[in-house]
Each structure stands twice: as structure tokens, then as C-alpha cells.
Amino acid sequence: MESPAVTVAITRKADPARTAEMIAWVNAGTTLAEDFPGFLGTGWVRPDQGSYEWHMLYRFADEHALRNWEESPQRRWWLSSAEGFVEHTRTEKRTGIEGWFDPPRAHEVSETATPKAPPRWKQAVTIWLGFFPVSLLAALTLNHLLIDLNVVLRTLISTLCLTPIMTYLVLPQVTRLLQPWLRR
């Protein structure tokens, strides 16, 4: 049986005065990871400009590809290059979209320890309840700014803006509110 893709969510802290260094460090890590087989992508977001917290994601095609990256000398060097200005605070590993519906944990979560995910139809309803108002708000606020761009570029910009908002702000709130219904 094929191993599912794995997403790793990491929270790190860094002094907001060192934002330029942090961005360069994150970009260096991305450049290194891109060369590893099975690398599917990465991204990061901060709650606001003055925030100490950086929420980072990276995704690999399967556990084996992820392990090759995480145990590599390149990654060890990259992590060591941030000693003194980056603090690692939390890591979560998830497979599939079900991870959005689990309450946050301060430790790594294995597939066997994860509670059973809600039915797919409940997941779809929950995502829609978060996605509709955010998409509507984006359409009302961004569309007039992007109207002269072609549809591919408009979609690229809007999804780059909305994905972190949905992942870190909206879906956690919606799933927290709907938790009793989701677990029923």
C-alpha cells in the first residue's frame, strides 16, 4: 500500500527585528528541500508584522521522502545556521486534510494515535463554511485591484493570500466552533 503524502507544520519564534534574516533563512531551507525527491512544497505565514511566531509548512510525497529530508546533512546544517535567533516551539505531522479537524497538539502525531476523522461530508461542510465568507470578502476587496490581470495571475495571487488565512486563522476557528458536531 502506498504511503500518503505528509505535511509538517512547525511553529518557530524569532525576534521581529530580525525579519530579513528569518526570511533569508526560510528561503535557504526551501532551496535545499527543493532538491530532495518527493518534495511537494512549502510555505510560511506570521499572524502580523510584529509577531514573534512563524508558522511554517512543508510537504513530502511520503514518509520515506520526508525522512530523507529530515535526516539529511543539508537540513542539519540549515537548522544549525539559525541557532541563536530562531526558537523551535512546536511540530505536527499530518497526512491528508483530516489534520485540519484535529485539535492542536504540542507533540508529533502519528497516524495510529490520531482520533478518527469526521466523515468527509462534514469536513466539506466545515471547509465551505469557512471558505465562502473569506472568498466573498476577498472578492469584494481584491477584485477591483486585480481586475486588469489575466485569470491565472488573479487566481494565483488570491490563492496565495487566502490559503494561509484559511489554514491558520479561519479553519481552526470554524472547526473549534463545530467540534461537538464534527465528533458526533
Side-chain angles (χ1 to χ4, degrees):
M1 186 167 139
E2 189 175 311
S3 171
V6 182
T7 301
V8 179
I10 298 176
T11 301
R12 292 186 167 106
K13 289 185 180 178
D15 184 345
R18 298 181 81 173
T19 297
E21 288 171 85
M22 186 65 175
I23 291 170
W25 181 73
V26 169
N27 289 337
T30 299
T31 301
L32 290 171
E34 286 173 340
D35 288 337
F36 279 75
F39 176 76
L40 298 176
T42 188
W44 60 268
V45 67
R46 288 190 305 165
D48 59 66
Q49 279 188 322
S51 176
Y52 280 80
E53 286 195 333
W54 293 67
H55 302 284
M56 302 173 180
L57 294 172
Y58 57 90
R59 188 167 174 83
F60 279 83
D62 56 37
E63 281 285 343
H64 178 72
L66 173 64
R67 193 170 32 260
N68 283 343
W69 161 247
E70 289 186 332
E71 295 174 358
S72 71
Q74 294 93 323
R75 184 170 182 267
R76 279 193 299 278
W77 169 84
W78 174 69
L79 289 173
S80 71
S81 70
E83 287 176 7
F85 82 93
V86 176
E87 176 189 346
H88 178 91
T89 60
R90 183 174 61 94
T91 301
E92 293 184 37
K93 292 182 182 179
R94 306 294 177 143
T95 57
I97 197 169
E98 292 84 1
W100 284 345
F101 297 94
D102 295 334
R105 290 179 174 82
H107 60 280
E108 289 187 9
V109 179
S110 69
E111 289 180 67
T112 56
T114 303
K116 189 174 185 241
R120 294 268 181 192
W121 71 270
K122 285 186 177 184
Q123 294 178 35
V125 168
T126 302
I127 292 170
W128 183 85
L129 286 172
F131 194 77
F132 177 74
V134 171
S135 297
L136 185 60
L137 182 63
L140 293 171
T141 59
L142 289 178
N143 279 1
H144 71 282
L145 299 172
L146 306 175
I147 197 72
D148 294 332
L149 301 176
N150 73 42
V151 70
V152 173
L153 201 49
R154 273 196 320 257
T155 304
L156 174 68
I157 291 169
S158 66
T159 56
L160 282 172
C161 293
L162 296 181
T163 300
I165 291 169
M166 286 296 297
T167 302
Y168 292 106
L169 301 175
V170 176
L171 280 178
Q173 294 296 324
V174 172
T175 56
R176 188 175 312 118
L177 288 171
L178 297 178
Q179 204 56 228
W181 175 71
L182 287 167
R183 293 293 169 208
R184 246 185 271 148

